[in-house]
Amino acid sequence: MSIPFPVRIQAAVVRAVYALPHGLRRAFAGKPEVRDGQTLALDAQVILKFQRMSKATMVMPGGVGPSRDEMEHARHLVGGPRIEPVAVRELGIPRERGETPARLYTPAGLGGASGLLVYVHGGGWAVGSMESHDHVARFLAQRARVRVLSVGYRLAPEHPFPAGLEDVQAALDYAFAKAVDLGVDPERIAVGGDSAGGNLAAVAVQEAVRRGGPVPVFQLLLYPVTDLSTKRRSYQQFAETYFLTSDNMDWFADRYAPEPLDRTDPRISPLLAADLAGLPPTYLSTAGFDPLRDEGEAYAQALEAAGVEVYLSRQSDLIHGYANYIGVGHRFEDATAEAAEALRKALGC
């Protein structure tokens, strides 16, 4: 898909600022921001300055439509050039009524019977798409040397809970059932996602264990939503200013799990599951300047208490959604590369 001319100009401006010497980038971003004993990375301050100048937010005035458009627009600004060579195959995953679109990414030079990551994009269950996270899927595929199956699950509010979850569960079942056709080793299937996608991935794994079917050997959770029933301390500390806000999360939750749904249901809030034993080894990252930080870390602690092997990585100087910014600066790419390396090691690639 061609990029509109005004967007190309904006992307060029963003790249030009990131190419400036450190001192000039610091002058553009302003003095260092320190909160809760953490110093925000300069790369993160620069992107926040751009977002504030453009008045971009996770939830745009006008609701769902403009918010979705904004996320698709943003990927051209911060995702970077398309990562190649990666082969892409469009798929349809059968569900009870119709199909869920999916996209299989295969990095060049990857042999048959590889590992697979079933990837679930973020966006508050209401925005985001396979397109908005195309660069993330390509990055993980190439860096981890695995195939990636990106899932285009149904979005709220048109399709509230449990529609998206059902699509992700169907995608997991499909990955195991069609492993040979996908060129995948069924013993090396992982699941992962970012933000709301991390929530759906975590719940889908819990449900796989509960059902007694095949279970992924690894889960990759980037700054996941794990508890919609309450707001922890990080919500108060980072309620606004750092792109994802407390009000944004209220808006997303009201569309995905509106009243009278019980948000203590573990299928909505996986942290509240009664038993976490039997879940696969997990890489879980949080961002220091993120309302979701504390609930993500609480989930890592709960997994560890249940005997699950967990690697918790707080990227203390970054903001929510950092994997989407891999095309600008270096800090976002470094953090996302750490996750890709954990996936590579977990799947023996």
Side-chain angles (χ1 to χ4, degrees), residues 24-200:
L24 292 178
R25 279 182 288 129
R26 170 55 67 196
F28 173 80
K31 66 180 182 180
E33 294 190 34
V34 180
R35 186 169 294 192
D36 196 28
Q38 307 167 130
T39 301
L40 189 63
L42 177 56
D43 281 353
Q45 273 196 254
V46 169
I47 203 64
L48 286 172
K49 181 67 175 287
F50 275 118
Q51 289 169 343
R52 291 163 188 164
M53 289 170 60
S54 66
K55 295 182 171 54
T57 65
M58 283 289 286
V59 179
M60 295 293 289
V64 172
S67 299
R68 289 174 181 168
D69 291 344
E70 176 61 28
M71 194 161 195
E72 300 300 330
H73 170 88
R75 73 184 178 94
H76 297 302
L77 303 182
V78 296
R82 176 172 289 178
I83 297 171
E84 298 284 9
V86 178
V88 177
R89 175 181 163 197
E90 304 293 336
L91 300 169
I93 297 173
R95 60 173 186 247
E96 188 174 346
R97 293 184 180 86
E99 287 186 334
T100 298
R103 185 174 291 166
L104 182 68
Y105 296 84
T106 303
L110 189 67
S114 73
L116 174 74
L117 173 68
V118 177
Y119 193 77
V120 191
H121 69 78
W125 306 278
V127 303
S129 67
M130 292 187 294
E131 287 295 334
S132 71
H133 285 65
D134 176 76
H135 58 299
V136 180
R138 288 172 180 269
F139 183 90
L140 292 173
Q142 194 171 82
R143 289 296 185 97
R145 303 303 300 163
V146 299
R147 287 176 168 85
V148 172
L149 182 66
S150 180
V151 184
Y153 61 91
R154 289 169 289 174
L155 299 178
E158 300 94 329
H159 304 283
F161 172 86
L165 173 59
E166 291 171 349
D167 292 350
V168 174
Q169 290 176 295
L172 264 183
D173 292 342
Y174 177 89
F176 282 106
K178 300 293 185 180
V180 174
D181 295 341
L182 297 173
V184 167
D185 178 355
E187 300 298 320
R188 291 193 290 150
I189 294 177
V191 67
D194 62 285
S195 192
N199 170 276
L200 294 172

Side-chain angles (χ1 to χ4, degrees), residues 2-21:
S2 62
I3 303 173
F5 182 72
V7 178
R8 292 202 300 270
I9 296 297
Q10 293 173 46
V13 171
V14 172
R15 290 194 301 270
V17 171
Y18 273 97
L20 292 172

